[in-house]
Amino acid sequence: MTVCIAALFDDGKGAVLAADGMITSQYPIAYEFENDETDKIYPLCHDSYAMFAGNMMFGAAIVELAKKDIKSLGLGNVNGVATSLKNAYTDYRSKFIEQVYLAPRGLSLDSYHQRQGFLNGGLIQAIDNAMMGENIGVEFIVVGPSNAGFGIYIVSHPGVAICMDAIGFCAVGSGEPHATFSLMGSLYRKSVKQSEAEKLVSQAMNMSEAAPGVGKETSRKVLIYKEKTDETDQEEQTS
């Protein structure tokens, strides 16, 4: 797996993003390796970013689907951007389910729903259980402008988007428990200043390295909101 962390500071006027460099895949075989050429902090549109934990190929494909939708709709607010990513997640998962569970039976999602009344009850139950339980193994953090500051969302199985602004931080991946407990233990508040936020996120990243599948290389990005121009500055660090 991996770990990705996002934390607001200065009451949402800024945000710290951090992600390790571990690459994970489940197809054609399960494997993990670190790649210093891969930055897991993906730009979705101006000022909005996504990070993800889990299957690299699935996550990258979902990001590309979302970027097309975001561009065509001209989205900018993090709520709309997160909704677009959630929809891309749901669409990708549906197509994956169709390929794995329905296509081998000569069915598509549309034909399956149309023909349910004519299919064997046991087969319907087996397919429905598989469709409901299928987890494609990827979860996202979305960070972007929201009103007069930044907002953060988690997008995860089976295709839900949850705003994390009230807490002010979140993490995903196998290192999530370690990172979350570290930030909780430090009594993290989104009112902290930038220097304190960067220090506490670094501590959380270090703690998360105890989890299996978390890489040592870390990419960081600091976002700072400019109220007068409604723009943001980004500062990047890699360690």
Side-chain angles (χ1 to χ4, degrees):
M1 286 288 285
T2 187
V3 67
C4 302
I5 303 172
L8 302 177
F9 64 82
D10 198 16
D11 292 319
K13 302 298 184 185
V16 180
L17 286 60
D20 74 341
M22 187 67 73
I23 304 300
T24 305
S25 176
Q26 297 172 344
Y27 295 92
I29 60 173
Y31 59 86
E32 295 178 333
F33 64 96
E34 287 198 77
N35 185 342
D36 59 8
E37 294 183 350
T38 300
D39 187 350
K40 291 161 66 174
I41 304 176
Y42 294 84
L44 292 174
C45 60
H46 184 59
D47 304 338
S48 295
Y49 295 84
M51 301 180 285
F52 66 83
N55 192 297
M56 183 73 180
M57 276 67 76
F58 290 178
I62 291 168
V63 165
E64 290 304 313
L65 288 173
K67 285 172 67 174
K68 292 178 181 178
D69 188 54
I70 291 165
K71 183 177 180 179
S72 67
L73 295 175
L75 299 175
N77 187 280
V78 69
N79 179 58
V81 171
T83 298
S84 180
L85 186 69
K86 178 197 72 172
N87 292 339
Y89 185 108
T90 301
D91 290 345
Y92 190 89
R93 179 175 176 268
S94 295
K95 290 176 182 176
F96 179 80
I97 288 170
E98 185 176 63
Q99 287 181 321
V100 174
Y101 298 106
L102 299 179
R105 296 177 169 88
L107 298 170
S108 65
L109 281 171
D110 288 340
S111 64
Y112 171 67
H113 291 306
Q114 292 170 0
R115 295 172 57 186
Q116 271 193 350
F118 303 98
L119 298 176
N120 176 272
L123 177 60
I124 293 174
Q125 186 66 46
I127 292 176
D128 280 356
N129 288 341
M131 291 171 66
M132 291 298 296
E134 181 60 46
N135 188 333
I136 60 175
V138 62
E139 50 189 345
F140 296 83
I141 296 175
V142 181
V143 183
S146 176
N147 300 322
F150 287 100
I152 54 178
Y153 279 76
I154 287 180
V155 176
S156 60
H157 176 76
V160 296
I162 301 172
C163 180
M164 302 299 293
D165 291 357
I167 297 174
F169 66 85
C170 63
V172 295
S174 58
E176 180 273 326
H178 301 74
T180 299
F181 292 147
S182 176
L183 291 168
M184 289 173 59
S186 69
L187 301 179
Y188 193 94
R189 298 290 185 272
K190 61 183 177 182
S191 58
V192 301
K193 298 304 180 184
Q194 178 181 344
S195 59
E196 183 70 3
E198 291 188 69
K199 182 184 77 172
L200 295 177
V201 168
S202 292
Q203 290 178 357
M205 288 296 293
N206 291 337
M207 286 286 290
S208 70
E209 290 178 3
V214 174
K216 304 295 184 182
E217 297 293 326
T218 302
S219 295
R220 294 184 177 88
K221 190 180 293 290
V222 177
L223 308 179
I224 300 175
Y225 192 83
K226 287 186 175 179
E227 290 189 69
K228 291 183 180 180
T229 60
D230 289 333
E231 295 178 353
T232 58
D233 285 342
Q234 299 100 35
E235 302 172 6
E236 298 183 32
Q237 263 189 327
T238 301
S239 62

